[in-house]
Amino acid sequence: MVTADITGDGQTNIVYGTDEGRLDVLGWDSEDGLVLRWSLDIGSEIGELAVADVNGDGLVEIVLTAADGFLYVVGDQTRRSAPMS
């Protein structure tokens, strides 16, 4: 689990992966409290998580390992990220 402003709204999000291969991002909603902002099925058990501005656009991406042997870089699924150069 890691925490960072993934959605770019100035609020800290909670990011975690599941053994079933799902990446979940939680955020705070003033009416409903802690809510699922978005979820992404990686398809393989998720290992280590980190956050960094990988593509230099000023927004953080989620970097994760998975049991399938791949390294994934995932941007906020509610916005379009700038292409990596």
Side-chain angles (χ1 to χ4, degrees), residues 54-57 61 79-85:
V54 176
N55 59 2
D57 66 355
E61 287 79 39
R79 64 171 163 80
R80 295 191 68 96
S81 298
M84 295 182 64
S85 54

Side-chain angles (χ1 to χ4, degrees), residues 19-85:
D19 292 344
E20 295 81 24
R22 193 179 67 243
L23 179 67
D24 290 339
V25 176
L26 304 176
W28 184 258
D29 180 83
S30 61
E31 293 181 17
D32 297 321
L34 198 59
V35 296
L36 181 66
R37 292 291 183 202
W38 55 264
S39 185
L40 181 65
D41 184 14
I42 299 296
S44 183
E45 181 180 354
I46 294 175
E48 298 295 319
L49 295 169
V51 292
D53 180 6
V54 176
N55 59 2
D57 66 355
L59 302 168
V60 296
E61 287 79 39
I62 304 163
V63 181
L64 63 103
T65 61
D68 61 6
F70 288 98
L71 177 70
Y72 293 85
V73 178
V74 179
D76 176 20
Q77 298 298 292
T78 63
R79 64 171 163 80
R80 295 191 68 96
S81 298
M84 295 182 64
S85 54

